[in-house]
Amino acid sequence: MQVRQSIHSDHARQLDTAGLRREFLIEKIFDADNYTMTYSHIDRVIVGGVMPVHNSVTIGSEVGKQLGVSYFLERRELGVINIGGPGIIEVDGKAWEIGNEEALYVGMGAQSVVFKSVDASKPAKFYYNSAPAHTRYPDKKITPADASPTTLGDASTSNRRTINKYIVPDVLPTCQLTMGLTKLEEGSLWNTMPCHTHERRMEVYFYFDMDEETAVFHMMGQPQETRHLLVHNEQAILSPSWSIHAGVGTKRYTFIWGMMGENQVFDDMDHVKVSELR
């Protein structure tokens, strides 16, 4: 488990590119027949990926020891979205078949979570976020048909995109975790512009569906002190509540967003006009 400390906005202003990447960028999400895990002090989010190929992968009791509990989800909830081939997630012995761009919510208290791929030649790639939880809500599979889609933007501003809200109150109850998948249309490059902050929630972006020579210039920082980081395929970036989070790609791409904090109101944002950015 990697651990990232919270970074004050004044501290972030003083970091060079290497420093920003070290504190906010998660460069490796998937590792064959293993899981990755990054624990951030920003709202205590846990971010990572599970990629079973030839063997099943279990997030075991070693994680509980690192968290100071008996097992991973003793006091946490989990959201998973599969961006790879068909897979299976077994939660306390119950098997859930999770296909490409399908999701699974696992409630607090699940003691055993095992990840498998159906076909080793097309392994599942389970991207996950986990948040502290106060009660257990039922486990639930979410398909694209179950998601709550919203299409925003315009081709003239290069940000026509569909936001698929998988883990949101309109679809299922959770303690605080929300997640979704946003697809840009061909020819659109911006994901969130005009941008915003939300003082009451942090957010994580996971960028994928990109070839080797495609990158996203991810914008971060306070609105009047913006910075950027280059994000490549299957990398994630942490966004504190004081930071904007927007990006423009060299080609279209897809990304998964996850949020947690004081509320689950999707449009509780502090909008920033383009003319106000510096």
Side-chain angles (χ1 to χ4, degrees), residues 2-232:
Q2 295 186 21
V3 177
R4 305 283 181 91
Q5 296 184 4
S6 298
I7 301 296
H8 193 281
S9 55
D10 288 345
H11 181 189
R13 292 169 56 190
Q14 302 173 48
L15 295 175
D16 61 10
T17 298
L20 290 172
R21 293 178 69 87
R22 181 180 63 248
E23 300 295 344
F24 298 104
L25 184 65
I26 304 172
E27 295 190 77
K28 187 171 185 178
I29 293 292
F30 295 114
D31 185 21
D33 285 328
N34 204 350
Y35 67 82
T36 66
M37 182 172 288
T38 298
Y39 179 104
S40 171
H41 286 208
I42 305 172
D43 284 320
R44 302 194 179 276
V45 63
I46 292 180
V47 182
V50 187
M51 185 180 172
V53 182
H54 302 289
N55 304 305
S56 62
V57 177
T58 302
I59 300 180
S61 59
E62 72 282 355
V63 176
K65 292 177 182 178
Q66 291 174 295
L67 295 175
V69 292
S70 300
Y71 53 93
F72 179 32
L73 298 181
E74 182 175 342
R75 299 177 62 84
R76 284 185 162 271
E77 58 187 354
L78 178 70
V80 184
I81 299 178
N82 182 12
I83 67 163
I88 296 170
I89 303 176
E90 292 183 358
V91 181
D92 288 341
K94 180 176 180 178
W96 300 84
E97 296 182 0
I98 308 297
N100 181 260
E101 295 190 2
E102 294 184 339
L104 180 67
Y105 171 78
V106 182
M108 183 189 79
Q111 296 191 35
S112 173
V113 186
V114 182
F115 300 84
K116 302 177 180 179
S117 288
V118 173
D119 183 353
S121 66
K122 299 178 181 178
K125 291 183 175 181
F126 297 110
Y127 171 75
Y128 69 87
N129 288 173
S130 175
H134 62 274
T135 192
R136 182 180 180 102
Y137 287 110
D139 304 340
K140 183 174 180 177
K141 174 180 175 178
I142 308 102
T143 69
D146 300 321
S148 176
T150 302
T151 299
L152 299 173
D154 192 88
S156 65
T157 50
S158 190
N159 68 347
R160 185 72 172 171
R161 63 201 188 277
T162 298
I163 304 170
N164 298 284
K165 304 172 189 175
Y166 282 78
I167 300 175
V168 295
D170 289 344
V171 177
L172 78 167
T174 68
C175 293
Q176 62 168 323
L177 180 65
T178 60
M179 291 181 73
L181 183 151
T182 297
K183 284 193 169 188
L184 275 69
E185 294 187 5
E186 196 65 43
S188 284
L189 304 175
W190 283 97
N191 58 51
T192 309
M193 189 60 68
C195 63
H196 60 265
T197 61
H198 23 73
E199 187 64 34
R200 292 150 291 279
R201 295 193 305 274
M202 67 84 63
E203 189 159 8
V204 185
Y205 275 12
F206 169 67
Y207 291 100
F208 68 102
D209 194 19
M210 299 189 287
D211 60 38
E212 186 176 354
E213 291 303 317
T214 300
V216 174
F217 290 75
H218 179 90
M219 311 298 171
M220 62 166 297
Q222 292 179 298
Q224 283 72 50
E225 191 91 27
T226 59
R227 309 288 293 276
H228 77 269
L229 288 178
L230 264 289
V231 184
H232 295 274

